[in-house]
Amino acid sequence: QEERTTGSASLLIENLDLVKPLQTHDAKDASTAQNLYEDIEEDTPPLQDSINDGIFEPFSKDASCDDVGEDCDGWSLPESTIESEEIVTETTGNGEECDFSEFTRAAYGGTDPDSIMEQITSSKVETEESPSSSPCEQKEVVDKHWGRDEKVIRLRDALKKAGQIGGKQIRKGKRKRASKAEIDNRRPPIFLMPGLASTRLVNWNHKTCQHPLISDIKMQDYVWLNVKQLIEMAGVDPSCWQECMSLGKHQRDHGGCRLRPDEGLDAIASLAPGSLGSDLLVGGTNTVYAWLIQWLAENLGYDVSSIVGLPYDWRLSPDVTEERDGYLTLTKHRIEAAVAANGGLPGIVVAHSMGNLVFRYFLAWLRQEFIESAFDRYSESLKLDGTLKFPGWLSNVAQRAEEMRTKLTNLARDFNFKLDGNKLFPKDSEEDTSSEEIDAIVWELAKMEGTAAYLDWVNQHIWTYVGLSAPLLGASAPLRSVISGETMGLPMSDELARDLEITFGSTHTANTISTKMAFCDNGTNSTPSANNLACLDELVEDIEDGMSMDPWKNFDILRLLMKERVDWDSALPIFRIDIEKCEKGEKSPCAYQTTESIGPREVQNGEIFDRFSRVWNEKGNPMMGKKDQLRESWWDTPFGHILNTTWDRPHIKHVVMAYGTDRPTEVGYFYKKKMDIPAATAEGSEHDSDDASVDDSIDEHESYNSDSDANAGNATTVENVQYDGMPYLKTVIWEVENGEYVAEAYGAKDKSSSVFKRKPKKELLKNVRSKLPHSGDGTIPYLSMAWAHTWLLHATRAYMRRSPSTGEWVNDADFDHSNALKNIKISHRPKGGSEWIKGPIKELSDDDSGMCKIDDCDTGTSHPHGTKYKPEMLRYQSKGRSRTNGMEYTTTVIEGIGVEHKETTRNYDILAAVFTDVLKYMHDDFGII
């Protein structure tokens, strides 16, 4: 059996079925299919992306090493993440340039940062070459990655210095504890929440492998990732490792292993530490968060006392991580402990990829925990003295007083209770209040108190949320892995990968969510926001009302999301099933053909699994098993089906979202099923192609499947019941920059060789275009990450609130909502540049002196990936004030042009851009220096 792998060999593919249009019985689908197949452009250049990207954290080295030399292997951590500063110079009176190299060396040589800034900002400096020349004017340091903001540079260096000394300093050769005034190492702790496949998994039960050449999987062995097992799997038999990684029914342990997440920072820093050949075989898997941890330590002085890893079993859905491992409860306690140990300063949550969605679930779970705790307290109070006594702070906080009292008054009226101070008790009446009415009012009170307590906890413990490469609307790739397999870059076939991944509950965590769920007129409900925010469609009228000029200028993304309501399936479906039914002897293309399109709504309601189950009759009906998994973990939750709503900006003081764009990214998958009429046969269920070599293609598939497992790629007959194999993925649709799509054939092997595999055929779709101007980061589609732009409008949505008495939308008089967009500031940093420039990106002219021109930019590396690459970046910023507690909050969205998914955790400039904002807020909020 030929194995399809990504990373070590090309995919098995067959020719694209893009020559003749499908004949379909649905006029609309027929038109869509006709246009798609006519839109193929010949001789399309190949996708210029050498890195294999996937939702399962692609294994890729640091491409910056291509320019460095033999001392940099691309897999190991760099010796240092610190690079020298650049100084802006000014000519002297003699026309000579000032030389600040002395201060550049001093800045990274251990000198007190305060004295450095004092020297650099002094009025007169003599050059080394001509000390008697005219003095230079006052200039500032411009750091290569951090820019010129003095308070940011000083705070960065103060944190680094305090971290290195650790609360002590050396005087006259003796170590002496410094006073608090001398050294203050207080800092907001950082919590790292990893993405899918980014936590090391350890075995806690000995498993015997049956093959004589395969080693047993022992207690405390690393299974994800175990390099020795991977080598054996590639060369001998993958079944033992695959059984160990699989989950059973209800996501329980299965296959003889008992895998649990490893502990600490190391569990998310490297997955196969110290393994012989690990760099060669799995490369970047040794450096999941290692780059970021090193960067935080070297640049900001963080260490194990102030960085907390939050590893989890990424195979499980979030509810099962809590049920089995107590992960959500442990996360809460770890955050509380770290905040207490760092002087009570609230912390910074840094999440990457799917870790952002786990963080969303954690916040929803936490709010529910506070509500249920309040419900239990009220119920106990009612049993003791027959009253419902609520805490005084619930209605006495100034910003909440009027709203809370109104709610309590309405509750008392609706449920026939009396309101006396901070107590509610039943009125004297002939009819007793029913237990249902009592429970209803108790629950309403519990929601009020629990939500308020939850917000207070968040404000005390989470000061900033940094979302890196966040799939806010999910991603399509996890569903592809469930339906037809994703090899994760490992040496296994798609069929084996699919048998493994279909058991993972985590694949639902990143299910696609329709943008329509953010609008009040979406056809499902009128108030989709759980945070009492105005819907997006209610903002559009205010933005455009009375504007003589285009209010959307410079805000194309928000216009597309809010006004034009671009969705996952606006141009092409996420999934498409082409069904061809042929009479005996009839050659493809056969007369009877139909097409089924699947969009985000069918993913949300689980209809996608029904459709694939109806078309492919698989043994055990695994698709319906996935639907049951979706129901158990996401539909039947106390806080509702959060995958059925878009995520509103969390109630956290500062939010910074950063992601890459313009990398070729998978966004759609076309499947094909050929069946015989009247009765399907084993041959009729095989995959087929519609080009001139159709007979050869059939032979290829029959040969390929003849050696496959009965439930992994071919049709089988068991007790006179005919079963199909795995759904056949025929075409993968990629989004590329400038809103274009590329179709990639996928499937058959090269008949001329049993070893080598044909290069995938990728062709540009000429007339089918996305309205969005960018593509994703190679893993997450752009639409999903760009949803963060809607968070910039949080302040406007919050102040356009519903009246607690009438339920109508009202606008606060002290907030200017006439055009929400004018409250957003835009800046950009040119490719290779070091400073942010006000305004959006523009084409540079010859008159733009001092700016880096595209052709001669110092980008740090010639390769458009890696730690040292200096990408073009675009930044959006907004701020507001909470109407419930008066908290001022900010929102930042940073787009790195050409930056790949994983590079947001290790690219120096992306990290510096993110933490430049964080340090500004740290300086202003905490006054550390």
Side-chain angles (χ1 to χ4, degrees):
Q1 176 182 345
E2 185 103 5
E3 290 182 341
R4 307 177 199 170
T5 66
T6 61
S8 60
S10 301
L11 298 174
L12 290 168
I13 65 137
E14 69 172 327
N15 290 330
L16 261 176
D17 180 12
L18 297 170
V19 179
K20 298 181 181 179
L22 289 176
Q23 301 173 21
T24 173
H25 296 282
D26 187 296
K28 181 179 179 180
D29 288 338
S31 175
T32 301
Q34 176 80 24
N35 292 336
L36 171 64
Y37 288 167
E38 287 180 348
D39 286 338
I40 295 302
E41 182 174 291
E42 298 293 338
D43 302 323
T44 302
L47 299 180
Q48 299 299 316
D49 190 10
S50 61
I51 292 182
N52 292 308
D53 300 322
I55 192 67
F56 289 93
E57 299 306 313
F59 307 151
S60 56
K61 70 173 185 177
D62 177 12
S64 294
C65 289
D66 295 343
D67 300 327
V68 176
E70 57 184 13
D71 293 335
C72 179
D73 62 14
W75 305 121
S76 305
L77 290 173
E79 292 184 3
S80 174
T81 63
I82 296 177
E83 294 197 320
S84 62
E85 294 173 325
E86 296 176 337
I87 304 299
V88 176
T89 61
E90 183 173 331
T91 58
T92 67
N94 299 330
E96 299 174 348
E97 288 190 348
C98 303
D99 183 2
F100 290 88
S101 58
E102 175 185 351
F103 305 123
T104 302
R105 290 191 299 271
Y108 288 97
T111 305
D112 185 341
D114 291 340
S115 64
I116 293 171
M117 297 305 299
E118 183 178 349
Q119 293 178 60
I120 292 177
T121 56
S122 61
S123 60
K124 293 185 179 182
V125 177
E126 292 185 348
T127 65
E128 294 178 351
E129 292 79 9
S130 54
S132 60
S133 61
S134 299
C136 293
E137 298 298 327
Q138 175 179 336
K139 296 302 295 183
E140 297 175 304
V141 174
V142 179
D143 187 271
K144 185 172 184 179
H145 301 292
W146 292 87
R148 69 166 68 241
D149 191 311
E150 179 180 341
K151 67 181 180 183
V152 169
I153 301 295
R154 291 183 65 213
L155 181 54
R156 178 202 65 184
D157 292 338
L159 288 172
K160 180 168 61 176
K161 177 180 178 180
Q164 291 170 347
I165 297 176
K168 297 180 179 181
Q169 67 180 23
I170 299 175
R171 292 180 179 173
K172 297 181 181 180
K174 296 182 179 180
R175 184 175 295 274
K176 178 181 179 181
R177 182 172 297 277
S179 67
K180 184 175 181 180
E182 292 169 331
I183 298 295
D184 187 351
N185 197 25
R186 292 182 309 135
R187 62 189 62 223
I190 292 178
F191 308 100
L192 301 180
M193 189 164 282
L196 191 62
S198 296
T199 294
R200 192 164 62 228
L201 301 181
V202 182
N203 184 34
W204 285 84
N205 188 56
H206 186 101
K207 175 178 174 58
T208 302
C209 296
Q210 299 302 317
H211 197 288
L213 298 180
I214 298 292
S215 302
D216 291 349
I217 301 177
K218 302 178 182 63
M219 177 80 73
Q220 292 289 289
D221 274 356
Y222 299 148
V223 178
W224 183 264
L225 274 164
N226 186 313
V227 175
K228 185 173 182 293
Q229 283 283 337
L230 290 176
I231 294 173
E232 293 174 346
M233 179 178 74
V236 185
D237 180 12
S239 60
C240 189
W241 180 87
Q242 187 256 1
E243 290 171 1
C244 189
M245 283 289 297
S246 298
L247 294 169
K249 191 175 183 180
H250 306 302
Q251 304 179 56
R252 297 298 184 257
D253 295 316
H254 176 71
C257 285
R258 187 154 61 98
L259 301 188
R260 296 295 182 268
D262 208 354
E263 285 294 317
L265 283 175
D266 190 55
I268 61 175
S270 56
L271 301 181
S275 301
L276 179 63
S278 60
D279 288 347
L280 175 64
L281 185 63
V282 295
T285 55
N286 264 357
T287 54
V288 177
Y289 260 131
W291 254 278
L292 176 58
I293 293 170
Q294 179 179 356
W295 187 91
L296 291 171
E298 293 183 338
N299 286 271
L300 300 179
Y302 275 82
D303 57 30
V304 69
S305 66
S306 50
I307 306 179
V308 179
L310 301 173
Y312 59 93
D313 190 337
W314 48 267
R315 302 172 302 160
L316 307 176
S317 54
D319 65 310
V320 181
T321 65
E322 171 64 15
E323 177 186 329
R324 195 195 71 179
D325 301 335
Y327 173 71
L328 303 177
T329 299
L330 284 172
T331 296
K332 178 176 181 287
H333 293 331
R334 285 166 175 160
I335 291 174
E336 291 170 340
V339 167
N342 283 273
L345 295 181
I348 305 167
V349 172
V350 179
H352 180 250
S353 193
M354 194 187 78
N356 292 275
L357 304 182
V358 175
F359 180 57
R360 178 191 185 185
Y361 191 98
F362 167 74
L363 293 177
W365 168 86
L366 184 64
R367 178 177 181 269
Q368 187 67 22
E369 287 293 298
F370 279 107
I371 291 174
E372 292 182 2
S373 176
F375 180 84
D376 293 341
R377 188 182 64 78
Y378 281 124
S379 298
E380 189 65 26
S381 172
L382 197 61
K383 290 178 183 178
L384 290 175
D385 58 11
T387 64
L388 296 172
K389 184 177 180 180
F390 49 90
W393 61 264
L394 188 64
S395 59
N396 292 334
V397 177
Q399 289 83 0
R400 293 196 186 110
E402 180 182 356
E403 185 174 345
M404 289 297 178
R405 296 300 298 182
T406 301
K407 287 183 177 180
L408 291 169
T409 301
N410 291 341
L411 280 175
R413 180 196 63 210
D414 295 341
F415 293 96
N416 199 32
F417 271 64
K418 292 181 181 179
L419 175 61
D420 183 9
N422 65 337
K423 290 184 179 181
L424 280 169
F425 51 91
K427 291 180 179 180
D428 296 328
S429 63
E430 296 180 358
E431 297 182 3
D432 293 334
T433 305
S434 67
S435 59
E436 291 80 8
E437 291 177 316
I438 295 292
D439 286 344
I441 193 170
V442 168
W443 184 249
E444 290 301 317
L445 282 172
K447 285 198 298 183
M448 292 169 57
E449 178 183 335
T451 299
Y454 155 76
L455 294 176
D456 286 345
W457 186 95
V458 170
N459 293 337
Q460 292 172 19
H461 295 89
I462 302 177
W463 168 69
T464 295
Y465 162 45
V466 175
L468 303 176
S469 306
L472 299 182
L473 298 177
S476 52
L479 281 171
R480 173 241 173 118
S481 72
V482 166
I483 295 170
S484 54
E486 161 64 61
T487 65
M488 300 178 281
L490 301 176
M492 67 172 78
S493 65
D494 285 344
E495 288 83 0
L496 187 63
R498 194 258 192 155
D499 288 344
L500 172 65
E501 291 152 1
I502 205 168
T503 69
F504 296 168
S506 58
T507 54
H508 289 304
T509 307
N511 277 1
T512 55
I513 301 173
S514 172
T515 61
K516 296 180 178 63
M517 306 311 296
F519 298 93
C520 288
D521 56 359
N522 61 39
T524 59
N525 55 56
S526 59
T527 55
S529 173
N531 296 328
N532 199 33
L533 301 176
C535 300
L536 293 182
D537 46 306
E538 296 175 298
L539 269 65
V540 173
E541 183 177 351
D542 274 355
I543 289 173
E544 296 186 333
D545 187 31
M547 297 295 293
S548 58
M549 301 178 63
D550 180 12
W552 302 100
K553 184 180 180 182
N554 301 328
F555 297 99
D556 281 346
I557 306 304
L558 283 172
R559 174 181 59 81
L560 292 167
L561 294 175
M562 296 172 58
K563 185 177 181 180
E564 300 194 24
R565 304 192 186 186
V566 172
D567 209 341
W568 287 94
D569 53 353
S570 293
L572 292 169
I574 307 177
F575 294 89
R576 201 182 76 184
I577 304 174
D578 298 333
I579 304 171
E580 182 179 36
K581 296 182 179 181
C582 303
E583 295 181 357
K584 187 174 182 180
E586 185 181 9
K587 289 188 176 182
S588 181
C590 300
Y592 185 90
Q593 300 199 24
T594 57
T595 297
E596 292 190 24
S597 296
I598 298 173
R601 299 295 283 269
E602 287 75 30
V603 174
Q604 290 172 211
N605 61 28
E607 175 66 19
I608 181 175
F609 302 113
D610 293 309
R611 295 197 186 183
F612 273 93
S613 179
R614 287 196 297 265
V615 177
W616 276 274
N617 180 29
E618 297 187 79
K619 186 178 180 180
N621 204 355
M623 288 291 96
M624 298 313 294
K626 289 302 291 184
K627 186 174 182 180
D628 290 341
Q629 208 176 63
L630 178 64
R631 179 182 295 107
E632 291 173 359
S633 291
W634 297 98
W635 295 355
D636 301 335
T637 66
F639 44 81
H641 181 16
I642 64 174
L643 294 183
N644 213 27
T645 61
T646 54
W647 188 11
D648 294 325
R649 182 197 184 281
H651 200 279
I652 296 172
K653 187 172 179 63
H654 304 295
V655 172
V656 183
M657 309 299 288
Y659 53 87
T661 69
D662 292 343
R663 308 307 308 164
T665 306
E666 294 181 15
V667 293
Y669 308 95
F670 293 175
Y671 291 81
K672 183 176 180 181
K673 176 67 179 293
K674 180 183 176 184
M675 297 182 288
D676 284 348
I677 300 175
T681 64
E683 292 78 6
S685 66
E686 299 299 338
H687 317 316
D688 200 355
S689 73
D690 294 337
D691 57 11
S693 58
V694 62
D695 293 332
D696 291 340
S697 296
I698 293 176
D699 290 340
E700 288 176 6
H701 289 298
E702 289 177 348
S703 174
Y704 174 75
N705 288 323
S706 63
D707 296 329
S708 301
D709 181 84
N711 193 34
N714 65 319
T716 60
T717 302
V718 180
E719 298 178 353
N720 297 322
V721 178
Q722 174 119 1
Y723 293 110
D724 296 323
M726 180 180 75
Y728 168 55
L729 175 60
K730 186 172 183 61
T731 306
V732 177
I733 304 298
W734 299 71
E735 64 176 7
V736 295
E737 56 185 318
N738 300 319
E740 296 179 319
Y741 290 112
V742 168
E744 174 191 3
Y746 194 88
K749 68 179 182 180
D750 190 344
K751 187 178 179 182
S752 63
S753 171
S754 60
V755 178
F756 298 103
K757 300 169 186 178
R758 187 186 309 163
K759 184 179 179 180
K761 183 180 180 182
K762 301 173 182 177
E763 301 188 20
L764 184 69
L765 303 183
K766 290 188 298 182
N767 298 320
V768 181
R769 295 180 61 88
S770 169
K771 292 183 178 180
L772 296 172
H774 299 287
S775 61
D777 63 4
T779 297
I780 309 300
Y782 181 72
L783 174 68
S784 185
M785 297 182 294
W787 191 253
H789 284 253
T790 64
W791 289 12
L792 296 163
L793 300 170
H794 183 85
T796 306
R797 296 180 67 191
Y799 275 89
M800 288 180 60
R801 59 189 177 88
R802 290 188 183 276
S803 167
S805 56
T806 66
E808 299 296 328
W809 288 107
V810 296
N811 294 304
D812 285 68
D814 61 346
F815 185 78
D816 181 9
H817 64 276
S818 58
N819 185 352
L821 302 182
K822 69 182 182 181
N823 297 312
I824 301 174
K825 296 181 180 179
I826 306 176
S827 57
H828 72 280
R829 208 195 67 175
K831 181 179 178 181
S834 299
E835 298 186 79
W836 291 93
I837 300 171
K838 185 177 180 181
I841 296 173
K842 65 175 182 176
E843 294 293 333
L844 298 180
S845 65
D846 294 335
D847 296 332
D848 293 318
S849 58
M851 295 185 183
C852 169
K853 304 299 189 295
I854 297 300
D855 294 335
D856 59 1
C857 291
D858 176 17
T859 59
T861 173
S862 62
H863 197 290
H865 287 295
T867 59
K868 300 178 181 179
Y869 178 62
K870 294 175 67 62
E872 184 175 40
M873 290 190 284
L874 188 59
R875 183 174 64 184
Y876 301 83
Q877 296 171 301
S878 69
K879 61 182 179 180
R881 183 185 295 274
S882 171
R883 58 181 171 78
T884 57
N885 61 9
M887 177 186 73
E888 290 187 354
Y889 55 85
T890 66
T891 307
T892 301
V893 176
I894 299 172
E895 295 187 344
I897 311 302
V899 174
E900 181 263 334
H901 182 68
K902 202 170 185 178
E903 297 305 328
T904 54
T905 66
R906 58 190 191 185
N907 179 277
Y908 298 167
D909 276 69
I910 293 290
L911 295 175
V914 167
F915 279 91
T916 291
D917 272 14
V918 172
L919 291 186
K920 287 179 181 177
Y921 305 143
M922 195 184 300
H923 177 279
D924 296 341
D925 293 351
F926 301 135
I928 292 180
I929 62 169

